[in-house]
Amino acid sequence: MSVTESSAKARDTLARNHRTGFSRAAQRSYDFTCPSPDSYPFQWAWDSSFHAVALTHVDTRRARDELRSLLSAVTPTGFLPHMVLWQDDLRPRATADFRIDLWEGWRSVTIAPPVVARAVERVYRATGDDLWLRRVLPPALAFFRWLRDHRTSPGTGLLEIYQPDESGLDSSPKYDAALGIQAVPEGAVHTAWHRAMRSLITAYASPARTPEAPLRDRRLFVWNDVLVNTVYADGLACLARLARTAGPNGRTADRLAEESRAIGAALMRHCWDEADGAFHDLDLVAGRRSDVLTASALLPVLLDSVPDTAAHRVIEQHLLNEREFWLPHPVPSVAATEPSYDPSFRTGAIFRGSSWVNLNWYLYWGLRRRGYRAEADTLATRTCALVAASGTRECYGPEDAAGHGARSFGWSSLVLDLAAATTAEPTTASGPTTTAEPTTASGPTATPEED
Ligand code: GLC
């Protein structure tokens, strides 16, 4: 019942948030799904990637257009911005409303987690559209090369970010100490965070910031984020498979697969905490590992290059732990045992305890990959129940299912993918003995359509 209801709400949201037109500033047409008509009217990179996956269940033409629009924003150097501000009429108030540092007038100068590779693979598997793949694969590959060339930490080999929102997890308490806001009372967190972000962005603004500016040298915020690196390693593996399918030369595929394995190995070497049984981010300015237990500590269970022994510890000790993450409406973005855990959105700040559909979606596939099929299905069912009860909100209370943040929120429509995945192959086994391959076993196999 909740699956049918949540799917209907997801479809409505995808229809309501659809945006098409021609951008004078960018001199090209666009066709995308905005994250939320009121709160986020432009195209956001990782949101759009999630939207494209959801759209494979609704309209494969829109799924392809979504990613084609996004990847048309890749610059000649290979940079893909977090935000693409296509709409000429809305752009003027954007810098006032959002923390956006614009570059060339219509692109943000920041990155987002590179979910786009997984989205390209899912859309390709759903459509079999080789023509489309030949068009979107080069800019996707260029962006991953850009990340490697401009964002690799020399010491760890992991990707680095220069401001918290480049992980997409904006106000996560794992960044509080680095931003100097760790002792702030709950009611003041939101304001303190915005103030800290503004001073970071102001400091970066001079000399004039470009996507390739050497911000590492400024030593203001340099961070190896576990979520960003997991998504990156996963994306490299997706691109390796796609390059093998579409590319003329297997060497590119081999290189990408090797780069993916190297990131997994670096996560094990630098972020895996044997005592905790979890992965922790690295603050390269302070020269220490973050010790705040957040949902991103769980994400590497997705990666083949992370050994089963580590993945099973993460799952058994943390994800399925009823005191930390396995709450009535999982998965909270921060463990319930953390002092900063905010299940009721009292701080008004995001990623401080609420449950998020995009994180659940990654963890669903991670659980399946490790053979926890029954637990994965429970997670999918509970995620659909959140959307059925409270609509497609930005995030949800892990204890009471209340909706918080933006309304008509796009990536909560990933429940369509969760619903399809659980009903396509009903649970037959649980426990860590079976394996599943998300990128090939999932998604409908639709008939290829012409462009
Ligand atoms: C918030 C989130 C970011 C997301 C954006 C649009 O800024 O932190 O991850 O991309 O909203 O939904």
Side-chain angles (χ1 to χ4, degrees), residues 135-180:
R135 196 159 161 184
V136 296
L137 193 53
L141 287 168
F143 177 47
F144 275 69
R145 264 197 310 274
W146 185 94
L147 288 169
R148 183 197 62 195
D149 294 347
H150 295 280
R151 291 302 188 95
T152 303
S153 297
T156 62
L158 291 164
L159 281 197
E160 57 196 25
I161 56 171
Y162 301 130
Q163 50 187 72
D165 54 340
E166 289 200 309
S167 71
L169 306 171
D170 300 19
S171 322
S172 172
K174 65 187 182 176
Y175 307 124
D176 285 0
L179 294 177

mmCIF file of all heavy atoms in Angstrom, residues 135-180:
data_model
loop_
_atom_site.group_PDB
_atom_site.id
_atom_site.type_symbol
_atom_site.label_atom_id
_atom_site.label_comp_id
_atom_site.label_asym_id
_atom_site.label_seq_id
_atom_site.Cartn_x
_atom_site.Cartn_y
_atom_site.Cartn_z
ATOM 1 N N ARG A 135 27.131 10.162 -26.837
ATOM 2 C CA ARG A 135 27.110 11.610 -26.628
ATOM 3 C C ARG A 135 27.463 11.994 -25.188
ATOM 4 O O ARG A 135 28.145 12.983 -24.962
ATOM 5 C CB ARG A 135 25.699 12.091 -26.977
ATOM 6 C CG ARG A 135 25.612 13.541 -27.168
ATOM 7 C CD ARG A 135 24.387 13.859 -27.984
ATOM 8 N NE ARG A 135 24.045 15.263 -27.815
ATOM 9 C CZ ARG A 135 22.989 15.814 -28.341
ATOM 10 N NH1 ARG A 135 22.159 15.101 -29.064
ATOM 11 N NH2 ARG A 135 22.745 17.085 -28.147
ATOM 12 N N VAL A 136 26.983 11.228 -24.216
ATOM 13 C CA VAL A 136 27.187 11.653 -22.814
ATOM 14 C C VAL A 136 28.450 11.063 -22.175
ATOM 15 O O VAL A 136 28.949 11.610 -21.195
ATOM 16 C CB VAL A 136 25.961 11.329 -21.914
ATOM 17 C CG1 VAL A 136 24.740 12.112 -22.363
ATOM 18 C CG2 VAL A 136 25.678 9.837 -21.849
ATOM 19 N N LEU A 137 28.948 9.969 -22.733
ATOM 20 C CA LEU A 137 30.110 9.342 -22.095
ATOM 21 C C LEU A 137 31.365 10.238 -22.123
ATOM 22 O O LEU A 137 32.052 10.368 -21.097
ATOM 23 C CB LEU A 137 30.386 7.969 -22.725
ATOM 24 C CG LEU A 137 31.364 7.060 -21.976
ATOM 25 C CD1 LEU A 137 30.979 6.876 -20.513
ATOM 26 C CD2 LEU A 137 31.475 5.698 -22.675
ATOM 27 N N PRO A 138 31.672 10.908 -23.266
ATOM 28 C CA PRO A 138 32.891 11.750 -23.262
ATOM 29 C C PRO A 138 32.886 12.837 -22.174
ATOM 30 O O PRO A 138 33.872 12.954 -21.440
ATOM 31 C CB PRO A 138 32.938 12.317 -24.688
ATOM 32 C CG PRO A 138 32.202 11.291 -25.507
ATOM 33 C CD PRO A 138 31.099 10.787 -24.616
ATOM 34 N N PRO A 139 31.800 13.634 -22.007
ATOM 35 C CA PRO A 139 31.866 14.626 -20.919
ATOM 36 C C PRO A 139 31.917 13.985 -19.539
ATOM 37 O O PRO A 139 32.552 14.523 -18.626
ATOM 38 C CB PRO A 139 30.598 15.471 -21.096
ATOM 39 C CG PRO A 139 29.720 14.729 -22.033
ATOM 40 C CD PRO A 139 30.606 13.845 -22.869
ATOM 41 N N ALA A 140 31.276 12.835 -19.373
ATOM 42 C CA ALA A 140 31.340 12.164 -18.056
ATOM 43 C C ALA A 140 32.780 11.721 -17.780
ATOM 44 O O ALA A 140 33.315 11.920 -16.681
ATOM 45 C CB ALA A 140 30.383 10.972 -18.013
ATOM 46 N N LEU A 141 33.429 11.159 -18.790
ATOM 47 C CA LEU A 141 34.830 10.736 -18.628
ATOM 48 C C LEU A 141 35.727 11.947 -18.364
ATOM 49 O O LEU A 141 36.640 11.896 -17.526
ATOM 50 C CB LEU A 141 35.318 10.004 -19.882
ATOM 51 C CG LEU A 141 34.756 8.592 -20.087
ATOM 52 C CD1 LEU A 141 35.080 8.088 -21.492
ATOM 53 C CD2 LEU A 141 35.314 7.626 -19.035
ATOM 54 N N ALA A 142 35.431 13.040 -19.073
ATOM 55 C CA ALA A 142 36.250 14.256 -18.896
ATOM 56 C C ALA A 142 36.149 14.757 -17.454
ATOM 57 O O ALA A 142 37.147 15.170 -16.853
ATOM 58 C CB ALA A 142 35.792 15.339 -19.865
ATOM 59 N N PHE A 143 34.943 14.700 -16.891
ATOM 60 C CA PHE A 143 34.772 15.167 -15.509
ATOM 61 C C PHE A 143 35.554 14.294 -14.532
ATOM 62 O O PHE A 143 36.202 14.802 -13.612
ATOM 63 C CB PHE A 143 33.278 15.178 -15.142
ATOM 64 C CG PHE A 143 33.012 15.583 -13.717
ATOM 65 C CD1 PHE A 143 33.629 16.702 -13.155
ATOM 66 C CD2 PHE A 143 32.127 14.852 -12.930
ATOM 67 C CE1 PHE A 143 33.382 17.077 -11.823
ATOM 68 C CE2 PHE A 143 31.879 15.215 -11.612
ATOM 69 C CZ PHE A 143 32.509 16.327 -11.055
ATOM 70 N N PHE A 144 35.535 12.998 -14.735
ATOM 71 C CA PHE A 144 36.293 12.120 -13.821
ATOM 72 C C PHE A 144 37.804 12.342 -13.965
ATOM 73 O O PHE A 144 38.536 12.247 -12.995
ATOM 74 C CB PHE A 144 35.884 10.649 -14.010
ATOM 75 C CG PHE A 144 34.663 10.298 -13.193
ATOM 76 C CD1 PHE A 144 33.426 10.829 -13.507
ATOM 77 C CD2 PHE A 144 34.762 9.479 -12.077
ATOM 78 C CE1 PHE A 144 32.302 10.551 -12.739
ATOM 79 C CE2 PHE A 144 33.647 9.192 -11.296
ATOM 80 C CZ PHE A 144 32.415 9.727 -11.631
ATOM 81 N N ARG A 145 38.247 12.656 -15.186
ATOM 82 C CA ARG A 145 39.668 12.984 -15.367
ATOM 83 C C ARG A 145 40.000 14.284 -14.639
ATOM 84 O O ARG A 145 41.030 14.412 -13.992
ATOM 85 C CB ARG A 145 39.989 13.160 -16.863
ATOM 86 C CG ARG A 145 40.560 11.906 -17.519
ATOM 87 C CD ARG A 145 41.229 12.248 -18.855
ATOM 88 N NE ARG A 145 40.390 13.064 -19.730
ATOM 89 C CZ ARG A 145 39.487 12.585 -20.570
ATOM 90 N NH1 ARG A 145 39.289 11.282 -20.669
ATOM 91 N NH2 ARG A 145 38.776 13.380 -21.337
ATOM 92 N N TRP A 146 39.060 15.239 -14.750
ATOM 93 C CA TRP A 146 39.257 16.536 -14.073
ATOM 94 C C TRP A 146 39.377 16.319 -12.568
ATOM 95 O O TRP A 146 40.263 16.890 -11.925
ATOM 96 C CB TRP A 146 38.071 17.459 -14.396
ATOM 97 C CG TRP A 146 38.212 18.856 -13.864
ATOM 98 C CD1 TRP A 146 38.707 19.936 -14.528
ATOM 99 C CD2 TRP A 146 37.870 19.322 -12.548
ATOM 100 N NE1 TRP A 146 38.695 21.048 -13.708
ATOM 101 C CE2 TRP A 146 38.185 20.695 -12.490
ATOM 102 C CE3 TRP A 146 37.324 18.715 -11.416
ATOM 103 C CZ2 TRP A 146 37.978 21.475 -11.348
ATOM 104 C CZ3 TRP A 146 37.131 19.476 -10.271
ATOM 105 C CH2 TRP A 146 37.453 20.838 -10.239
ATOM 106 N N LEU A 147 38.498 15.501 -12.013
ATOM 107 C CA LEU A 147 38.541 15.239 -10.565
ATOM 108 C C LEU A 147 39.899 14.654 -10.181
ATOM 109 O O LEU A 147 40.523 15.064 -9.205
ATOM 110 C CB LEU A 147 37.421 14.272 -10.155
ATOM 111 C CG LEU A 147 36.012 14.856 -10.178
ATOM 112 C CD1 LEU A 147 34.973 13.743 -10.014
ATOM 113 C CD2 LEU A 147 35.827 15.901 -9.081
ATOM 114 N N ARG A 148 40.339 13.679 -10.982
ATOM 115 C CA ARG A 148 41.628 13.049 -10.672
ATOM 116 C C ARG A 148 42.764 14.076 -10.752
ATOM 117 O O ARG A 148 43.613 14.152 -9.857
ATOM 118 C CB ARG A 148 41.878 11.911 -11.676
ATOM 119 C CG ARG A 148 43.166 11.135 -11.406
ATOM 120 C CD ARG A 148 43.567 10.321 -12.619
ATOM 121 N NE ARG A 148 43.849 11.186 -13.760
ATOM 122 C CZ ARG A 148 43.948 10.769 -15.016
ATOM 123 N NH1 ARG A 148 43.772 9.502 -15.314
ATOM 124 N NH2 ARG A 148 44.205 11.618 -16.001
ATOM 125 N N ASP A 149 42.743 14.891 -11.809
ATOM 126 C CA ASP A 149 43.877 15.799 -12.023
ATOM 127 C C ASP A 149 43.864 17.008 -11.094
ATOM 128 O O ASP A 149 44.916 17.539 -10.762
ATOM 129 C CB ASP A 149 43.886 16.291 -13.482
ATOM 130 C CG ASP A 149 44.167 15.134 -14.435
ATOM 131 O OD1 ASP A 149 44.590 14.055 -13.964
ATOM 132 O OD2 ASP A 149 43.940 15.306 -15.649
ATOM 133 N N HIS A 150 42.675 17.460 -10.680
ATOM 134 C CA HIS A 150 42.612 18.703 -9.898
ATOM 135 C C HIS A 150 42.252 18.500 -8.444
ATOM 136 O O HIS A 150 42.350 19.433 -7.654
ATOM 137 C CB HIS A 150 41.604 19.663 -10.538
ATOM 138 C CG HIS A 150 42.019 20.113 -11.901
ATOM 139 N ND1 HIS A 150 42.947 21.102 -12.097
ATOM 140 C CD2 HIS A 150 41.676 19.658 -13.126
ATOM 141 C CE1 HIS A 150 43.141 21.261 -13.387
ATOM 142 N NE2 HIS A 150 42.386 20.396 -14.040
ATOM 143 N N ARG A 151 41.783 17.316 -8.057
ATOM 144 C CA ARG A 151 41.278 17.161 -6.699
ATOM 145 C C ARG A 151 41.893 15.985 -5.933
ATOM 146 O O ARG A 151 41.352 15.579 -4.918
ATOM 147 C CB ARG A 151 39.745 17.015 -6.733
ATOM 148 C CG ARG A 151 38.998 18.292 -7.138
ATOM 149 C CD ARG A 151 39.328 19.432 -6.194
ATOM 150 N NE ARG A 151 38.504 20.604 -6.420
ATOM 151 C CZ ARG A 151 37.386 20.896 -5.753
ATOM 152 N NH1 ARG A 151 36.965 20.087 -4.821
ATOM 153 N NH2 ARG A 151 36.701 21.994 -6.013
ATOM 154 N N THR A 152 42.990 15.422 -6.426
ATOM 155 C CA THR A 152 43.582 14.301 -5.700
ATOM 156 C C THR A 152 44.574 14.806 -4.661
ATOM 157 O O THR A 152 45.478 15.583 -4.984
ATOM 158 C CB THR A 152 44.292 13.341 -6.674
ATOM 159 O OG1 THR A 152 43.346 12.903 -7.645
ATOM 160 C CG2 THR A 152 44.844 12.126 -5.936
ATOM 161 N N SER A 153 44.415 14.372 -3.416
ATOM 162 C CA SER A 153 45.371 14.757 -2.365
ATOM 163 C C SER A 153 46.670 14.001 -2.600
ATOM 164 O O SER A 153 46.658 12.767 -2.669
ATOM 165 C CB SER A 153 44.860 14.357 -0.986
ATOM 166 O OG SER A 153 43.690 15.031 -0.677
ATOM 167 N N PRO A 154 47.787 14.720 -2.681
ATOM 168 C CA PRO A 154 49.059 14.029 -2.933
ATOM 169 C C PRO A 154 49.376 12.982 -1.855
ATOM 170 O O PRO A 154 49.892 11.914 -2.163
ATOM 171 C CB PRO A 154 50.091 15.161 -2.920
ATOM 172 C CG PRO A 154 49.330 16.431 -2.978
ATOM 173 C CD PRO A 154 47.927 16.168 -2.552
ATOM 174 N N GLY A 155 49.032 13.263 -0.611
ATOM 175 C CA GLY A 155 49.416 12.349 0.464
ATOM 176 C C GLY A 155 48.578 11.086 0.574
ATOM 177 O O GLY A 155 49.092 10.023 0.934
ATOM 178 N N THR A 156 47.293 11.168 0.248
ATOM 179 C CA THR A 156 46.401 10.019 0.471
ATOM 180 C C THR A 156 45.901 9.380 -0.822
ATOM 181 O O THR A 156 45.428 8.245 -0.805
ATOM 182 C CB THR A 156 45.155 10.454 1.271
ATOM 183 O OG1 THR A 156 44.441 11.424 0.487
ATOM 184 C CG2 THR A 156 45.533 11.061 2.617
ATOM 185 N N GLY A 157 45.955 10.122 -1.923
ATOM 186 C CA GLY A 157 45.411 9.606 -3.185
ATOM 187 C C GLY A 157 43.895 9.699 -3.242
ATOM 188 O O GLY A 157 43.277 9.253 -4.204
ATOM 189 N N LEU A 158 43.277 10.291 -2.198
ATOM 190 C CA LEU A 158 41.817 10.436 -2.186
ATOM 191 C C LEU A 158 41.417 11.799 -2.755
ATOM 192 O O LEU A 158 42.215 12.736 -2.756
ATOM 193 C CB LEU A 158 41.309 10.311 -0.746
ATOM 194 C CG LEU A 158 41.422 8.908 -0.138
ATOM 195 C CD1 LEU A 158 41.276 8.964 1.391
ATOM 196 C CD2 LEU A 158 40.380 7.973 -0.734
ATOM 197 N N LEU A 159 40.163 11.915 -3.196
ATOM 198 C CA LEU A 159 39.684 13.214 -3.680
ATOM 199 C C LEU A 159 39.505 14.148 -2.507
ATOM 200 O O LEU A 159 39.109 13.721 -1.424
ATOM 201 C CB LEU A 159 38.309 13.073 -4.335
ATOM 202 C CG LEU A 159 38.163 12.545 -5.742
ATOM 203 C CD1 LEU A 159 36.769 12.913 -6.256
ATOM 204 C CD2 LEU A 159 39.228 13.047 -6.687
ATOM 205 N N GLU A 160 39.741 15.441 -2.745
ATOM 206 C CA GLU A 160 39.527 16.399 -1.659
ATOM 207 C C GLU A 160 38.467 17.423 -2.034
ATOM 208 O O GLU A 160 38.254 17.715 -3.211
ATOM 209 C CB GLU A 160 40.848 17.080 -1.275
ATOM 210 C CG GLU A 160 41.548 17.791 -2.402
ATOM 211 C CD GLU A 160 43.016 18.113 -2.072
ATOM 212 O OE1 GLU A 160 43.635 17.429 -1.230
ATOM 213 O OE2 GLU A 160 43.542 19.071 -2.676
ATOM 214 N N ILE A 161 37.818 17.935 -1.006
ATOM 215 C CA ILE A 161 36.847 19.020 -1.202
ATOM 216 C C ILE A 161 37.330 20.229 -0.409
ATOM 217 O O ILE A 161 38.082 20.081 0.558
ATOM 218 C CB ILE A 161 35.406 18.623 -0.781
ATOM 219 C CG1 ILE A 161 35.358 18.145 0.684
ATOM 220 C CG2 ILE A 161 34.844 17.571 -1.713
ATOM 221 C CD1 ILE A 161 33.932 17.941 1.209
ATOM 222 N N TYR A 162 36.901 21.424 -0.871
ATOM 223 C CA TYR A 162 37.398 22.656 -0.256
ATOM 224 C C TYR A 162 36.326 23.421 0.505
ATOM 225 O O TYR A 162 36.598 24.475 1.065
ATOM 226 C CB TYR A 162 38.026 23.553 -1.325
ATOM 227 C CG TYR A 162 39.174 22.862 -2.048
ATOM 228 C CD1 TYR A 162 39.241 22.823 -3.436
ATOM 229 C CD2 TYR A 162 40.190 22.225 -1.320
ATOM 230 C CE1 TYR A 162 40.283 22.182 -4.083
ATOM 231 C CE2 TYR A 162 41.234 21.569 -1.961
ATOM 232 C CZ TYR A 162 41.282 21.552 -3.341
ATOM 233 O OH TYR A 162 42.303 20.900 -3.980
ATOM 234 N N GLN A 163 35.096 22.947 0.472
ATOM 235 C CA GLN A 163 34.073 23.516 1.345
ATOM 236 C C GLN A 163 33.048 22.415 1.614
ATOM 237 O O GLN A 163 32.859 21.521 0.775
ATOM 238 C CB GLN A 163 33.462 24.785 0.766
ATOM 239 C CG GLN A 163 32.974 24.736 -0.656
ATOM 240 C CD GLN A 163 32.557 26.113 -1.165
ATOM 241 O OE1 GLN A 163 33.398 26.984 -1.416
ATOM 242 N NE2 GLN A 163 31.246 26.318 -1.305
ATOM 243 N N PRO A 164 32.394 22.455 2.783
ATOM 244 C CA PRO A 164 31.539 21.337 3.178
ATOM 245 C C PRO A 164 30.460 20.982 2.156
ATOM 246 O O PRO A 164 30.173 19.808 1.945
ATOM 247 C CB PRO A 164 30.890 21.827 4.474
ATOM 248 C CG PRO A 164 31.823 22.834 5.024
ATOM 249 C CD PRO A 164 32.493 23.468 3.843
ATOM 250 N N ASP A 165 29.866 21.992 1.513
ATOM 251 C CA ASP A 165 28.758 21.671 0.607
ATOM 252 C C ASP A 165 29.216 20.957 -0.661
ATOM 253 O O ASP A 165 28.380 20.495 -1.440
ATOM 254 C CB ASP A 165 27.927 22.922 0.280
ATOM 255 C CG ASP A 165 28.760 24.063 -0.264
ATOM 256 O OD1 ASP A 165 29.997 24.074 -0.054
ATOM 257 O OD2 ASP A 165 28.180 24.950 -0.918
ATOM 258 N N GLU A 166 30.521 20.821 -0.894
ATOM 259 C CA GLU A 166 30.953 20.033 -2.049
ATOM 260 C C GLU A 166 30.691 18.542 -1.835
ATOM 261 O O GLU A 166 30.690 17.774 -2.796
ATOM 262 C CB GLU A 166 32.438 20.263 -2.349
ATOM 263 C CG GLU A 166 32.695 21.662 -2.907
ATOM 264 C CD GLU A 166 34.016 21.769 -3.666
ATOM 265 O OE1 GLU A 166 35.056 21.354 -3.111
ATOM 266 O OE2 GLU A 166 34.009 22.287 -4.801
ATOM 267 N N SER A 167 30.455 18.132 -0.595
ATOM 268 C CA SER A 167 30.080 16.734 -0.354
ATOM 269 C C SER A 167 28.583 16.554 -0.503
ATOM 270 O O SER A 167 28.081 15.436 -0.470
ATOM 271 C CB SER A 167 30.473 16.308 1.060
ATOM 272 O OG SER A 167 29.618 16.952 1.996
ATOM 273 N N GLY A 168 27.846 17.667 -0.607
ATOM 274 C CA GLY A 168 26.389 17.597 -0.640
ATOM 275 C C GLY A 168 25.779 17.452 0.739
ATOM 276 O O GLY A 168 24.572 17.478 0.904
ATOM 277 N N LEU A 169 26.618 17.284 1.767
ATOM 278 C CA LEU A 169 26.124 17.024 3.121
ATOM 279 C C LEU A 169 26.259 18.284 3.979
ATOM 280 O O LEU A 169 26.566 18.213 5.179
ATOM 281 C CB LEU A 169 26.945 15.897 3.769
ATOM 282 C CG LEU A 169 27.050 14.597 2.981
ATOM 283 C CD1 LEU A 169 28.064 13.646 3.619
ATOM 284 C CD2 LEU A 169 25.687 13.923 2.903
ATOM 285 N N ASP A 170 25.980 19.410 3.369
ATOM 286 C CA ASP A 170 26.255 20.748 3.886
ATOM 287 C C ASP A 170 26.560 20.899 5.374
ATOM 288 O O ASP A 170 27.652 21.219 5.770
ATOM 289 C CB ASP A 170 25.082 21.688 3.558
ATOM 290 C CG ASP A 170 24.842 21.803 2.072
ATOM 291 O OD1 ASP A 170 25.304 20.936 1.304
ATOM 292 O OD2 ASP A 170 24.185 22.765 1.655
ATOM 293 N N SER A 171 25.544 20.728 6.216
ATOM 294 C CA SER A 171 25.701 21.088 7.637
ATOM 295 C C SER A 171 25.999 19.886 8.520
ATOM 296 O O SER A 171 25.767 19.954 9.737
ATOM 297 C CB SER A 171 24.449 21.784 8.165
ATOM 298 O OG SER A 171 23.904 22.636 7.213
ATOM 299 N N SER A 172 26.483 18.817 7.949
ATOM 300 C CA SER A 172 26.797 17.635 8.765
ATOM 301 C C SER A 172 27.703 18.035 9.928
ATOM 302 O O SER A 172 28.666 18.792 9.745
ATOM 303 C CB SER A 172 27.505 16.594 7.892
ATOM 304 O OG SER A 172 27.976 15.548 8.713
ATOM 305 N N PRO A 173 27.417 17.521 11.133
ATOM 306 C CA PRO A 173 28.245 17.907 12.291
ATOM 307 C C PRO A 173 29.687 17.430 12.173
ATOM 308 O O PRO A 173 30.541 17.884 12.936
ATOM 309 C CB PRO A 173 27.532 17.243 13.475
ATOM 310 C CG PRO A 173 26.665 16.191 12.887
ATOM 311 C CD PRO A 173 26.304 16.642 11.502
ATOM 312 N N LYS A 174 29.974 16.548 11.220
ATOM 313 C CA LYS A 174 31.366 16.113 11.082
ATOM 314 C C LYS A 174 32.276 17.281 10.686
ATOM 315 O O LYS A 174 33.475 17.228 10.891
ATOM 316 C CB LYS A 174 31.494 14.941 10.103
ATOM 317 C CG LYS A 174 31.144 15.237 8.666
ATOM 318 C CD LYS A 174 31.144 13.939 7.831
ATOM 319 C CE LYS A 174 30.837 14.209 6.367
ATOM 320 N NZ LYS A 174 30.917 13.009 5.539
ATOM 321 N N TYR A 175 31.687 18.354 10.113
ATOM 322 C CA TYR A 175 32.486 19.515 9.709
ATOM 323 C C TYR A 175 32.554 20.601 10.790
ATOM 324 O O TYR A 175 33.243 21.607 10.609
ATOM 325 C CB TYR A 175 31.919 20.159 8.439
ATOM 326 C CG TYR A 175 31.713 19.199 7.284
ATOM 327 C CD1 TYR A 175 30.466 19.055 6.688
ATOM 328 C CD2 TYR A 175 32.773 18.449 6.785
ATOM 329 C CE1 TYR A 175 30.271 18.189 5.625
ATOM 330 C CE2 TYR A 175 32.583 17.574 5.725
ATOM 331 C CZ TYR A 175 31.327 17.449 5.155
ATOM 332 O OH TYR A 175 31.138 16.592 4.107
ATOM 333 N N ASP A 176 31.801 20.447 11.879
ATOM 334 C CA ASP A 176 31.684 21.542 12.852
ATOM 335 C C ASP A 176 33.040 22.017 13.366
ATOM 336 O O ASP A 176 33.307 23.221 13.417
ATOM 337 C CB ASP A 176 30.819 21.122 14.051
ATOM 338 C CG ASP A 176 29.328 21.087 13.712
ATOM 339 O OD1 ASP A 176 28.983 21.382 12.548
ATOM 340 O OD2 ASP A 176 28.519 20.751 14.601
ATOM 341 N N ALA A 177 33.886 21.065 13.758
ATOM 342 C CA ALA A 177 35.172 21.465 14.344
ATOM 343 C C ALA A 177 36.001 22.245 13.324
ATOM 344 O O ALA A 177 36.590 23.282 13.643
ATOM 345 C CB ALA A 177 35.928 20.228 14.821
ATOM 346 N N ALA A 178 36.011 21.785 12.078
ATOM 347 C CA ALA A 178 36.804 22.464 11.047
ATOM 348 C C ALA A 178 36.264 23.866 10.765
ATOM 349 O O ALA A 178 37.010 24.763 10.388
ATOM 350 C CB ALA A 178 36.818 21.632 9.770
ATOM 351 N N LEU A 179 34.954 24.043 10.960
ATOM 352 C CA LEU A 179 34.352 25.362 10.718
ATOM 353 C C LEU A 179 34.370 26.228 11.975
ATOM 354 O O LEU A 179 33.915 27.376 11.955
ATOM 355 C CB LEU A 179 32.902 25.204 10.229
ATOM 356 C CG LEU A 179 32.694 24.555 8.861
ATOM 357 C CD1 LEU A 179 31.200 24.410 8.569
ATOM 358 C CD2 LEU A 179 33.355 25.365 7.745
ATOM 359 N N GLY A 180 34.836 25.654 13.080
ATOM 360 C CA GLY A 180 34.891 26.413 14.333
ATOM 361 C C GLY A 180 33.526 26.647 14.954
ATOM 362 O O GLY A 180 33.300 27.660 15.615
#
